[in-house]
């Protein structure tokens, strides 16, 4: 898990409009055990690398089928879907990049948080 170590998140670690692998070294993966609907798009069950393109007020979350890659070797030809989610500033600072799933009434949200920013990707099953 990447962590701040006293550095500012942007631009020391993340750069706006530049792909990031949501991890330190090996890319983070999402495994869906059944088909899901995300922002109206059907995503087939399977394993995907998650990339993020951070922007000041939004994160572009990309699911990519190239699960045999290491680090940041984003092969855009293997992108399955992309989603734009709000990047919300919070009052809480988180040292280590964190991803958790939160169950809501009708969806599961993938919460991604680091420093004082959080982004949520709602997933319907």
């Amino acid at each position: 898990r990447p962590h701040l170590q006293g550095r500012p998140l942007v631009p020391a670690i993340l750069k706006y409009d530049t792909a990031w692998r949501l991890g330190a070294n090996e890319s983070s993966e999402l495994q869906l055990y059944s088909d899901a609907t995300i922002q109206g798009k059907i995503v087939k069950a399977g394993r995907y690398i998650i990339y993020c393109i951070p922007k000041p007020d939004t994160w572009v979350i990309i699911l990519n089928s190239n699960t045999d890659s290491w680090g940041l070797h984003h092969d855009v030809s293997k992108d399955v879907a992309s989603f734009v989610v709000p990047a919300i500033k919070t009052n809480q600072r988180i040292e280590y990049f964190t991803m958790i799933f939160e169950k809501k009434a009708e969806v599961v949200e993938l919460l991604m948080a680091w420093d004082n920013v959080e982004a949520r990707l709602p997933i319907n099953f």
Side-chain angles (χ1 to χ4, degrees):
R1 272 171 61 187
H3 54 103
L4 295 172
Q5 295 179 317
R7 301 170 292 176
L9 181 59
V10 177
I13 303 171
L14 299 184
K15 309 240 184 312
Y16 289 139
D17 299 310
T18 302
W20 170 52
R21 65 187 166 272
L22 289 169
N25 303 326
E26 189 170 357
S27 301
S28 293
E29 293 183 12
L30 173 68
Q31 183 157 357
L32 300 174
Y33 291 95
S34 63
D35 293 353
T37 303
I38 304 173
Q39 293 184 347
K41 299 174 185 173
I42 295 173
V43 179
K44 296 288 185 190
R47 233 171 88 221
Y48 302 98
I49 287 179
I50 308 175
Y51 291 106
C52 171
I53 300 174
K55 297 176 180 293
D57 298 316
T58 60
W59 282 8
V60 178
I61 304 300
I62 301 165
L63 299 182
N64 183 286
S65 64
N66 189 21
T67 56
D68 293 326
S69 67
W70 172 262
L72 188 53
H73 300 292
H74 182 190
D75 180 353
V76 296
S77 71
K78 304 274 184 165
D79 287 354
V80 172
S82 64
F83 313 96
V84 178
V85 295
I88 308 294
K89 301 284 187 205
T90 68
N91 293 326
Q92 182 178 2
R93 292 213 177 287
I94 298 174
E95 172 69 19
Y96 289 87
F97 174 68
T98 301
M99 291 193 307
I100 60 170
F101 289 97
E102 290 185 346
K103 179 122 174 79
K104 302 290 180 172
E106 297 295 320
V107 302
V108 172
E109 289 183 335
L110 173 56
L111 168 62
M112 298 156 282
W114 201 7
D115 195 13
N116 67 336
V117 179
E118 72 175 37
R120 294 172 179 266
L121 181 66
I123 304 171
N124 294 300
F125 292 96

